Amino acid sequence: MAKDTCPVQSTLQYLSDRIASGVLTDPKVRRICESIRMLVEEISLGEAGDSHMAAIDDLMAEFENRTPDDTATKTLDHLKHILSDRREEFVSHIETRNCPSHDCGVIAPSPCQMACPAGIDVPTYLALIAEGKDDQAIAVIREDNPLPWVCGLVCTRPCEMMCVRGRIDTPISIKFLKAFAAERALSDRRYTNPEPAPPNGKRICVVGAGPGGLSCAYYLALMGYKVEVIESLPFAGGMLMVGIPRYRLPREVIDREVAMIEDLGVTFSFNTRFGSDVTYEDMKTKGTDAFFLAIGAHKAWDLGIKGETDFPRVIDAITFLKNVAIGDRHAPGKHVVVIGGGNVAIDAARTSLRLGAEKVTIAYRRSREQMPADIEEVEQAEEEGIAFAFLTIPTEITGNDGRITGLACIKAELIAKKGTDRLAPVPILGKEFTIQADAVISAIGQYVDDSGMTAFNAVNWTRRGTIEVNHASMETSMPGVFAAGDAVSGPATVIEAIGGGKRAAEAIHRQLTGMPQPRMPKIPVRRRKVPMIEMTAAEKMRLSRPVMPMLNVDRRRTTFQQVELGYDEAAVRKEARRCLRCDVCRRCGKCVEVCRDKMGIDALHLGYLDFDHPVKTDFRMTAENCITCGACAANCENNAMTLEEKDGRRMLKLCGTILNEQEIQTCDACGARLPSAQYMAFISDKTADLTQKAEQRLLCNDCQRRLSAKNHVPTRPVNPT
Amino acid sequence: MFKRGNRVEVFQASTDEAWEPYMNDFIGVHGVVTDPDTSINDPDDLIEVSLQGKGTHRLPQDCLRILSDTR
């Protein structure tokens, strides 16, 4: 191995190749190599801790005692050699989290993948969807998220916030493409589970069947664990089922994906409350090796205003949505006021409307601009006729004989508190008013219900009322007890809970197999490298994000039918093609620098490369000045920029997008292939004072030299032959 | 108050109990707020930030400052 090649990266590649090729036939040797590969990968990603090298040494010692054949011996010798000769570079990767040769950066994931709390390989599955390979796309997604259809409908899509295409026009509609692929793969009966590892005899108890619990159960089951999920509700899904209304997430979607997890052998005990119906001791007696707590945050905060406890029609949004999910179809009132500004408030308001409320108002103490709910949710609520009262602080729920008559409020203004620029709502004296209401729903946040957790007495809780964990391993302060989801983060997102569950599953596995835990949460890893899709620059620029077809408003106001109807297939394939493939182009900007500063051409207008200050991008403009010299491609470390020759044309491509194409020229004298006419002219201009111009003829270097030499006979060098 | 889409910088370590040692690696890194406190806008809440090259993490607000707003 050359000294300038990163030994960490080459070892990773070597082990990956050995494992993938199947030459390691001895199961123990294979297991040792897989473990070493995992540790080396973490070193290459800067995630390794102090004990990683020691763990590799231990595995190597184990390996030395087990060399059943020549292949294993060769593998052992190779690893021994590199780990001995280049050991300091492995240590340097761990200590500095830096790869001097930048080789390790090549496998860095795209911004959308990095943004996903579950680390889904977005560009790969988008490329597969673009080619109609929906089942393969779902397989890629499920390597990091077992609920692609659910997330395709309700994810808060942090990936789209970081989508680089958004710096050019609009982000790729990643969420809806995922939903389409999941639905199509299921419809085609090609949405299948991976083959799980053989049972390893170990048992895990998962408390809570929400997204975090389901995710952990899925990945543990795949690793061969016997998983039992304890759930107090009569069905799986947790907040997916009782917190998100059916018009956003149909129950069938949850049921289908839960059934896939059940198919792996995961067992569910519904209507079972941990701590009373089943206890910690019961589970330990059964031989449970580890616990995973994913109990969610299902308790609502009180409003803390007068009248809150005086009327039966004052209800918290979580209880209200849960009752509706279980089957209650009674309107909470004719005039409903929902207090709060988050997504739960919007869900409660839109649900009230569907149940028959005549007027629904959302009272929020800050401005529209500061409302934390998703913009799309707010707009859809407005379309359906929900009213908003901004800068409104509730002061009292008024009524008589147990019936609410109104919500007394006071108008607020936003004023920066002393010593901070943070604007806070402050009541304006004299601006009191009443909103007519016969039902009030509070949606001002939730917290973790810790009842039933008394057996986990060594688990520490944070001052925020959440379970304290080490976020690298999701392990609590009680050995063998792990936690994730809203119980750890406080009320958060579905995808964050899924990511936490996956991380915990891996940490449980590591603990039960004696592997060290990583120093920090794992950076997502690329799952595949799929070919890029060829298209013209004009098409790449012209494609635009499709508009989501919606259910008509009358039906939205009266039924729980799904509001977003989904894209048709043609729109999906086109939208997936809009992806810039940031898994390949790392946006280092070298191509632009070389073209502009070294060649002096400045043909590349890729303003999106700058994260902090993106400027205009137009792929079509490249062809105006580009001479297909190939300097950009030659300096691209990731082969994102390529110069290809096909059908008599020379094409400059960026991740498959043809930025420029020019006809391939041949030498007028000898017929050799030449650079483009533009490039020849460029060189000719640059060297005009050194060599004679070829006038109107296109000549290769050799012929040009011959011609030049012929015209300068007196200075021709003497041939020593 | 942080909003979805705010470009932010982790400009200092936080004194909050939620700050873990590995988060020191994030100081100086830029990112985007992907999930602010979605219920009560509590300045004490942890908010989710996608950091360039570092993944997505929930961080205390006192370690973050806004660079610009893209919303």
Side-chain angles (χ1 to χ4, degrees), chain A residues 12 18 29 55 81 127 147 151 203 227 243 289 310 325 349 351 353 381 393 431 536 538 553 569 615 644 686 718 720:
Chain A
L12 184 61
R18 294 300 257 187
V29 167
H81 175 71
L147 308 171
C151 283
R203 300 179 70 99
V227 186
D289 295 284
D310 299 341
T351 298
L353 197 74
I393 300 176
K431 291 244 180 175
T536 62
V553 172
E569 181 168 359
V615 291
E644 296 172 21
K686 292 281 179 193
V718 176

Side-chain angles (χ1 to χ4, degrees), chain A residues 46 97 111 114-117 156-159 161-162 167 301 340-343 364-366 368-376 422-423 443-446 461-464 468-472 488-489 491-493 495-496 519-521 523-524 611-612 614, chain B residues 1-8 14-26 29-62 66-71:
Chain A
R97 292 177 289 285
M114 292 290 262
C116 178
T156 49
R157 51 188 196 276
C159 50
M161 297 298 302
M162 291 294 274
R167 300 183 208 165
W301 291 109
N343 284 333
Y364 179 51
R365 62 190 178 136
R366 294 174 183 269
R368 175 190 289 270
E369 171 74 7
Q370 294 179 313
M371 202 168 183
D374 282 354
I375 290 174
E376 291 84 354
R422 187 184 172 90
L423 296 173
I444 57 164
Q446 303 104 256
W461 292 71
T462 69
R463 64 185 177 84
R464 296 179 172 89
E468 186 180 281
V469 297
N470 170 344
H471 279 84
V488 168
S489 60
T493 60
I495 192 65
E496 194 171 337
R519 186 183 62 86
M520 62 188 293
I523 291 171
F611 175 77
D612 284 331
Chain B
M1 194 172 83
F2 293 96
K3 291 180 293 181
R4 264 193 118 195
N6 281 148
R7 281 172 198 271
V8 292
S14 170
T15 52
D16 193 282
E17 64 176 6
W19 186 265
E20 295 182 45
Y22 70 82
M23 293 175 182
N24 288 318
D25 290 10
F26 303 160
V29 177
H30 292 191
V32 171
V33 175
T34 49
D35 183 40
D37 167 21
T38 55
S39 50
I40 52 175
N41 297 311
D42 185 350
D44 197 36
D45 258 2
L46 306 177
I47 65 172
E48 189 187 70
V49 183
S50 182
L51 297 171
Q52 279 208 103
K54 298 288 183 186
T56 299
H57 306 271
R58 209 162 266 279
L59 301 173
Q61 295 181 35
D62 64 347
I66 294 176
L67 296 170
S68 66
D69 189 358
T70 57
R71 188 171 175 174

